[in-house]
Amino acid sequence: MEGGAGNVKEAPLEWKFAQVFDETYAGDGNQEADFISAVEFDKFGQHLATGDSGGRVVLFLRTDIKENGGSRRNAERTDYSNDRHPQFFYKAEFQSHAQEFDCLRSLEIEEKINKIRWCQSVNGALLLLSTNDKTIKLWKVHEKKVKKISEMKPDTSKSSEYGSYSRSSISSGGAASLLFPAVHNSKSRLVSTCKRVYSNAHHYRVNSISYNSDGATFISADDLRIHLWNMEINSQCFNIIDLKPTYIEDLTEVITSAEFHPTHCNNLAYSTSKGSIRLVDLRQSALCDNHFKQFEEPEAPGSRSYYTDLITSISDIKFGKDGRYILSRDYMTLKLWDINMESGPVSTFKVHEYLRPELSDLYENDCIFDKFECCFSGDGQRVATGSYSNLFRVFGTSEGSTEATTVEGSRNPMRRQVQMPSRPSESQGTGLSRIVQRGGESPGLDAIGNSSDFMTRLLYLAWHPSENFIACAVANSLYMYYA
């Protein structure tokens, strides 16, 4: 059962290296434009898309199923293999966004891809949304047959204005000696087409886009507003949430992430910089500033500090597959929320607790503003998020689970092993919540006893929707792991 409600205690997963694309090494002089800034599987896990700081979108296709699909014997042989895992290969690449200049504000708009979201395929063509800071685009990627001229041949089946002609007239070099191209269909190639551009709606940086389960709409969110778009109409959108006060000096929080409910097309959730998650219903009113549920952990007495507002700001939220649970990531922790329980999170996983004594230094070097993403496994039994030193963490969510695995973004993912923490303590009052201790207690050292490298961070990752398979971005390299 998803999200920590199950009673079966599963053994921790052992992660193994599967693939890497564009692997680089220290001293290679990587270009920042090549750094990956978005990773996203499609609904069925057959395609994977990445976006980078140079505005490019790269698509990968799963190949292991297709290769085994035509042969039952091959499929059975694959099932017996303990190392069976998804395999992907490079499929296509296109330039989604280019650098622009806002003349009214005298600002350069980066081409960096902030988010990618897959849409429902149409007639075999792939559809996806991509966005930079200001502009959202709908892309169609489809196969197109390219006609190739193999040779020139005389065409004796037609007549010209000079009358009928025969092979003898052609060989004698008469007026009818015309050569016609012999056309043959060559291999099909992928073509990317920008179908629609949704622009001029956001005055602030777009941090989220989310495709609706109705297949007809999507939302886009910036720091202060959330807009609802019809996929077919790019000339207008509807503002459904507006946090901008009359006087900007009265601003107390901003929107950090937003996502539609996976099955209820009328519900969406958004998070704020104050550490709260709000659930709204589009049926209640045209402007959904009033939420019907709010999830926020009460602040412990005496725990507030100068950095509290920064470390409690939520950088990412994700719904579980059935929509009952919400996963949120702030700078220090990963939290699991039950939408039926607003009093507090079901589980709290401490990711960066060992950095608490270093908050002052992290503020000085701006690392405290890093935005880490999070993701659910397909069955909801585990969650994952990134960290520093090119590490990501995997936690078990089922009741009684103590799984807390550290995986390194390299060819040797389990090089840095960590002892399983003791059984999590039950929070008083709810009987459901638990705190999973994750992270070392020594200042400056992570949970595995190594000093953290704050210049190497793993911000973006995605979990395959049906298998224990994770794709993550390490600078400009895309690493894939299976368990």
Side-chain angles (χ1 to χ4, degrees):
M1 188 177 297
E2 180 183 327
N7 295 320
V8 179
K9 184 177 178 179
E10 298 187 7
L13 297 178
E14 181 181 352
W15 293 92
K16 301 177 182 179
F17 171 79
Q19 290 176 271
V20 62
F21 292 89
D22 293 331
E23 185 176 26
T24 56
Y25 302 93
D28 285 353
N30 301 327
Q31 297 294 323
E32 188 174 348
D34 297 329
F35 285 10
I36 297 174
S37 56
V39 182
E40 187 77 8
F41 283 104
D42 69 357
K43 181 179 180 181
F44 302 104
Q46 302 305 307
H47 294 88
L48 173 66
T50 65
D52 63 26
S53 298
R56 296 176 293 267
V57 173
V58 182
L59 304 182
F60 300 89
L61 172 68
R62 183 174 180 178
T63 58
D64 55 303
I65 292 181
K66 181 179 291 187
E67 291 173 357
N68 294 329
S71 172
R72 181 175 179 180
R73 179 176 297 178
N74 288 341
E76 292 174 348
R77 187 183 298 117
T78 303
D79 288 340
Y80 286 121
S81 173
N82 293 329
D83 287 336
R84 176 181 175 271
H85 62 84
Q87 296 177 355
F88 287 82
F89 84 104
Y90 170 87
K91 182 173 183 179
E93 177 181 342
F94 58 89
Q95 187 72 34
S96 175
H97 288 73
Q99 191 177 56
E100 302 175 29
F101 187 77
D102 189 337
C103 299
L104 295 178
R105 297 178 177 83
S106 297
L107 293 174
E108 285 189 355
I109 303 173
E110 291 184 336
E111 62 269 39
K112 175 185 175 183
I113 303 297
N114 292 337
K115 295 290 180 181
I116 295 175
R117 290 294 181 265
W118 289 93
C119 306
Q120 185 175 348
S121 300
V122 178
N123 297 327
L126 304 176
L127 295 177
L128 57 86
L129 292 164
S130 62
T131 183
N132 64 352
D133 286 350
K134 299 292 183 183
T135 305
I136 306 154
K137 295 184 179 182
L138 175 65
W139 288 91
K140 177 182 178 182
V141 182
H142 59 99
E143 292 186 352
K144 182 179 181 180
K145 291 184 178 180
V146 180
K147 294 183 178 181
K148 182 179 180 181
I149 299 175
S150 59
E151 56 182 325
M152 302 294 289
K153 291 183 178 180
D155 190 347
T156 59
S157 63
K158 298 182 179 180
S159 299
S160 67
E161 58 180 328
Y162 300 100
S164 301
Y165 56 89
S166 62
R167 293 182 182 271
S168 59
S169 64
I170 295 175
S171 59
S172 62
S177 58
L178 300 178
L179 297 178
F180 293 87
V183 179
H184 298 280
N185 290 331
S186 64
K187 292 183 178 180
S188 60
R189 66 183 181 91
L190 284 175
V191 177
S192 55
T193 306
C194 183
K195 302 296 292 181
R196 290 178 187 84
V197 178
Y198 310 90
S199 59
N200 303 322
H202 289 280
H203 296 291
Y204 305 95
R205 176 183 177 273
V206 177
N207 55 51
S208 301
I209 52 176
S210 181
Y211 183 65
N212 200 351
S213 60
D214 63 8
T217 58
F218 72 93
I219 57 171
S220 59
D222 62 26
D223 292 341
L224 297 180
R225 296 185 176 96
I226 299 179
H227 297 314
L228 177 67
W229 299 83
N230 187 303
M231 296 286 293
E232 302 295 327
I233 303 172
N234 60 353
S235 59
Q236 64 177 350
C237 61
F238 299 95
N239 176 227
I240 54 177
I241 294 174
D242 190 348
L243 297 188
K244 186 176 182 180
T246 304
Y247 302 101
I248 198 67
E249 295 80 6
D250 298 331
L251 183 66
T252 59
E253 62 180 345
V254 296
I255 299 169
T256 57
S257 184
E259 183 164 316
F260 266 117
H261 191 282
T263 57
H264 301 323
C265 61
N266 55 288
N267 290 342
L268 66 91
Y270 70 94
S271 60
T272 74
S273 58
K274 294 183 70 174
S276 66
I277 303 172
R278 293 162 191 168
L279 205 58
V280 300
D281 191 337
L282 299 179
R283 299 171 299 181
Q284 289 185 344
S285 63
L287 190 63
C288 303
D289 288 345
N290 296 322
H291 51 272
F292 71 92
K293 284 191 177 183
Q294 176 168 305
F295 310 93
E296 186 173 358
E297 188 170 28
E299 186 177 303
S303 63
R304 187 166 186 81
S305 70
Y306 178 78
Y307 306 104
T308 298
D309 290 339
L310 296 178
I311 63 177
T312 57
S313 175
I314 295 175
S315 59
D316 190 28
I317 59 172
K318 291 289 193 306
F319 272 104
K321 183 175 290 187
D322 64 0
R324 179 178 174 183
Y325 294 93
I326 298 176
L327 184 66
S328 68
R329 172 67 201 269
D330 56 47
Y331 188 74
M332 304 297 289
T333 64
L334 192 63
K335 293 185 175 70
L336 185 67
W337 305 82
D338 187 332
I339 64 172
N340 298 320
M341 189 179 75
E342 300 178 61
S343 58
V346 173
S347 302
T348 299
F349 308 99
K350 295 186 177 182
V351 181
H352 283 164
E353 187 64 25
Y354 65 94
L355 294 178
R356 194 171 293 275
E358 310 295 328
L359 293 180
S360 178
D361 293 336
L362 293 168
Y363 178 79
E364 291 296 328
N365 61 22
D366 290 340
C367 287
I368 202 170
F369 301 103
D370 288 337
K371 308 298 182 184
F372 294 92
E373 292 188 356
C374 58
C375 58
F376 271 105
S377 63
D379 58 7
Q381 294 295 317
R382 294 173 178 87
V383 294
T385 189
S387 182
Y388 292 107
S389 303
N390 289 339
L391 303 175
F392 67 91
R393 317 289 174 85
V394 179
F395 302 98
T397 62
S398 57
E399 187 175 354
S401 173
T402 58
E403 180 175 359
T405 306
T406 299
V407 185
E408 182 181 25
S410 69
R411 287 180 175 269
N412 189 6
M414 303 302 288
R415 178 172 60 182
R416 306 189 181 191
Q417 293 293 335
V418 60
Q419 295 295 325
M420 290 299 111
S422 59
R423 181 178 177 84
S425 59
E426 298 292 335
S427 298
Q428 295 180 356
T430 64
L432 292 175
S433 299
R434 68 181 191 276
I435 301 296
V436 177
Q437 180 67 35
R438 182 66 179 91
E441 297 301 329
S442 301
L445 300 180
D446 60 19
I448 50 183
N450 297 314
S451 58
S452 294
D453 181 1
F454 299 119
M455 295 299 101
T456 56
R457 55 183 71 90
L458 199 156
L459 301 176
Y460 314 104
L461 75 171
W463 201 307
H464 192 279
S466 59
E467 301 196 35
N468 288 322
F469 187 85
I470 291 178
C472 62
V474 176
N476 64 320
S477 302
L478 179 67
Y479 284 88
M480 301 181 185
Y481 304 94
Y482 70 98

